[in-house]
Amino acid sequence: MKRAGFTTRWLPILLLLPQLAVIIVFFYWPAAQAVQSSFYLEDPFGFGSTFVGLDNYTYLAQSAEYAKIARFTLVFTILVTFFSLGLALLLAVKADKVIRGAKSYRTLLMWVYAVAPPVAGFIGLLMFNQSWGPLTELAKSFGWDFALGVNSTDTAAAMVLVSVWKQVPVNFIFFLSGLQSIPKSVREAALIDCSSAMRRFWDVTFPLLAPTGFFLLIINITYALFDTFGIVDVLVKGEPGNNPLTLVYKVYVDGFRGNDMGGSSAQSVVLMVLVLALTVVQFRLVERRIHYT
Amino acid sequence: MTDITPNQPPLAKRSLKWSTVMDHTVLILGSLFLLVPLLMVLQTTSTPDLETIKNGPGLAIGDQLDDNFMAAMFKASGFSGENTGMRMLMNSMILGIGFAIGKIVLGMMAAYALVYFRLRFATFAFWLIFTTLLLPLEVRILPSYEIAQKLGLLNTYTGLIVPLIASATATFFFRQYFRSIPEELVEAARIDGAGPVKFFIDILVPLSQTMIAAMFIIMFVYGWNQYLWPTMVTTDEDMYTLVRGIKQLTQDLEGTSIPEYGRANMLALIAILPPVLIVIFFQSWFVKGLTESDK
């Protein structure tokens, strides 16, 4: 930061103050409290709490239910990330290729970006309605007796599909702008060098898109872990029952409904560590990204 | 950005045509995958509920749009009679606009302080602010709720908006942008005798117009679409936003003998439309803002 900056003393402090105040009160304070209360067992009726050390964590580590939810979240995240990235990449490559209507396609494919996750879940409920949902009918025509909210595999499938549907547009926008920033000269050189479109894609376009892809990978993992909360909540109709749940949903259910502050906080801390690890990976990749461009 | 190069090989005219057809087919299928569900929601708002219950959503638009629109806007579904579509729409607007403005104003101020001033604790402030990028609100949701409760912010607009602002996305974005502005500009301004306040208001803010617009769109959509935090912090029905009200809609549909799909889906549509329209109309700004914020 070798700026020719101003030297006024009080002004920058004044400028920073609102931002710092907000993040201290609503970021650092709650984050610290989550860490702290993960070491306590709180009375569900609010009569004080007792220090229990790592008990909440050991309980989590031994809980079969938590392990099951963690496993589901992992599978869910992989599926959502894979399909939404794959589909978006396919569409972006095609949209980049067509000359006529490229802009109209971009407009059409962008709509769903602005749909809120719970609204996406709401639309999912409509599509998978037990008696007449178009997708239920479609599944039936393939002999798949789809039962959302009853059969947990079916519920999981619906969650994945709705989450992918919601995430494709963001990935598409990023991939398309990544593709369009590939210099013309490189494309032309590739055209001369290899005649197969497939080879051109895998040997030239794909490596050039890799930085965008890495970035999106992290974005998508974060999306699947956290932002799908609304989708899950609406699709299971707020009834965890024996429906598949994600880790974030479990934090909410245990803490807000079950009043198990300690357990819920321990889960929050586990998630925090997970996100921090992801961020470290992201920074590593961003560093590497500089070599490409 | 708009540079779409015609990169088909000049040879083999026949296969070229085929591949073009394939490209369009894939794109049309993709568009249908994304848009047909929305069309079906629209369709159910235009047909009588009995028909929807019998046949499910289709694609033929009926004539009930205005009736359902009136029901959605002015009929309340809760116990208090306060959460009409009108009320929820207003709350959503307040949340979306308040969040976007709050984010931009705080972000610009902080970024300006970080980039253009020599501060002793600049590095510390930088890390303090940018660590917030790492942890989403979801992982600290319960303690955040308790703090909002302690501060008496439940069921207030302040409680709805301010905790959501506690992350540095906009600050980060503006910092990157300010740093890309040539340094000569500050020097010139200083030589001309402009103080820091004048430089900020008369030069930097006008210069950042496009960036501010892009940020506004992204942040408006983000704020409008919030769900978990509003669900926790607003329990009074007159504080519901459209997106927060979605769950109640699904419960309404479960509970009654003739579920009001027309009304419920109209409300869902009203929750979708404002952010979609903004994104579509201001596409180029929005795309620019979105894809440049990661650099």
Side-chain angles (χ1 to χ4, degrees), chain A:
Chain A
M1 253 187 268
K2 282 139 216 98
R3 284 266 164 196
F6 296 102
T7 42
T8 327
R9 273 282 154 76
W10 51 272
L11 189 64
I13 297 172
L14 219 61
L15 286 168
L16 278 169
L17 214 57
Q19 168 98 69
L20 289 178
V22 168
I23 62 174
I24 285 167
V25 175
F26 291 106
F27 184 90
Y28 286 102
W29 188 7
Q33 209 156 50
V35 175
Q36 193 206 11
S37 64
S38 73
F39 297 113
Y40 285 83
L41 186 66
E42 198 161 320
D43 185 280
F45 301 103
F47 300 117
S49 48
T50 28
F51 182 78
V52 291
L54 290 171
D55 277 10
N56 288 320
Y57 292 97
T58 44
Y59 175 77
L60 274 190
Q62 287 158 3
S63 159
E65 193 202 358
Y66 194 71
K68 196 179 129 201
I69 292 174
R71 259 199 313 275
F72 172 73
T73 308
L74 181 70
V75 175
F76 174 78
T77 305
I78 292 172
L79 289 176
V80 170
T81 305
F82 177 78
F83 284 112
S84 55
L85 280 177
L87 202 56
L89 180 60
L90 175 72
L91 291 170
V93 167
K94 297 298 181 197
D96 182 51
K97 247 175 93 185
V98 300
I99 311 151
R100 207 161 301 174
K103 256 204 135 166
S104 327
Y105 283 125
R106 193 181 80 177
T107 307
L108 288 176
L109 292 167
M110 252 165 69
W111 279 64
V112 177
Y113 168 84
V115 176
V119 181
F122 180 81
I123 297 173
L125 283 182
L126 185 77
M127 305 303 283
F128 285 112
N129 184 292
Q130 198 51 64
S131 25
W132 41 253
L135 289 177
T136 318
E137 305 275 298
L138 185 72
K140 233 174 235 156
S141 69
F142 289 107
W144 180 1
D145 235 343
F146 203 95
L148 180 71
V150 179
N151 181 322
S152 69
T153 316
D154 292 357
T155 312
M159 280 177 191
V160 171
L161 184 69
V162 175
S163 305
V164 169
W165 180 75
K166 162 83 190 98
Q167 187 65 3
V168 164
V170 189
N171 296 339
F172 171 78
I173 294 166
F174 275 99
F175 274 135
L176 186 63
S177 95
L179 281 167
Q180 291 179 344
S181 68
I182 295 176
K184 223 172 165 178
S185 53
V186 175
R187 290 171 185 240
E188 279 161 6
L191 259 181
I192 296 166
D193 277 352
C194 41
S195 57
S196 141
M198 259 325 211
R199 285 249 350 244
R200 267 204 310 276
F201 176 75
W202 289 114
D203 291 354
V204 181
T205 316
F206 195 74
L208 282 171
L209 265 187
T212 311
F214 284 138
F215 168 76
L216 282 179
L217 190 67
I218 304 288
I219 294 281
N220 279 270
I221 293 173
T222 322
Y223 162 79
L225 285 175
F226 300 107
D227 300 339
T228 51
F229 176 88
I231 295 175
V232 175
D233 191 34
V234 172
L235 279 179
V236 304
K237 295 174 186 160
E239 309 275 335
N242 58 352
N243 283 314
L245 302 178
T246 57
L247 288 170
V248 170
Y249 200 77
K250 179 81 176 144
V251 172
Y252 166 78
V253 169
D254 283 1
F256 206 55
R257 299 257 194 85
N259 269 326
D260 175 14
M261 279 305 287
S264 172
S265 297
Q267 293 178 32
S268 291
V269 174
V270 169
L271 282 176
M272 284 186 201
V273 173
L274 198 66
V275 187
L276 286 177
L278 272 175
T279 315
V280 171
V281 174
Q282 185 178 17
F283 277 133
R284 284 269 165 86
L285 292 176
V286 168
E287 265 169 41
R288 192 191 294 182
R289 187 181 149 113
I290 294 163
H291 294 288
Y292 285 111
T293 43

Side-chain angles (χ1 to χ4, degrees), chain B residues 205-228:
Chain B
V205 172
L207 207 62
S208 317
Q209 260 172 12
T210 324
M211 293 296 135
I212 293 173
M215 264 291 112
F216 186 87
I217 296 163
I218 294 169
M219 291 303 165
F220 175 81
V221 173
Y222 186 85
W224 179 283
N225 285 346
Q226 282 304 305
Y227 178 66
L228 178 56

Side-chain angles (χ1 to χ4, degrees), chain B residues 36-58:
Chain B
V36 166
L38 294 181
L39 277 178
M40 285 185 162
V41 174
L42 174 67
Q43 191 271 342
T44 54
T45 64
S46 72
T47 43
D49 291 332
L50 278 172
E51 205 153 299
T52 306
I53 297 160
K54 219 164 40 190
N55 305 324

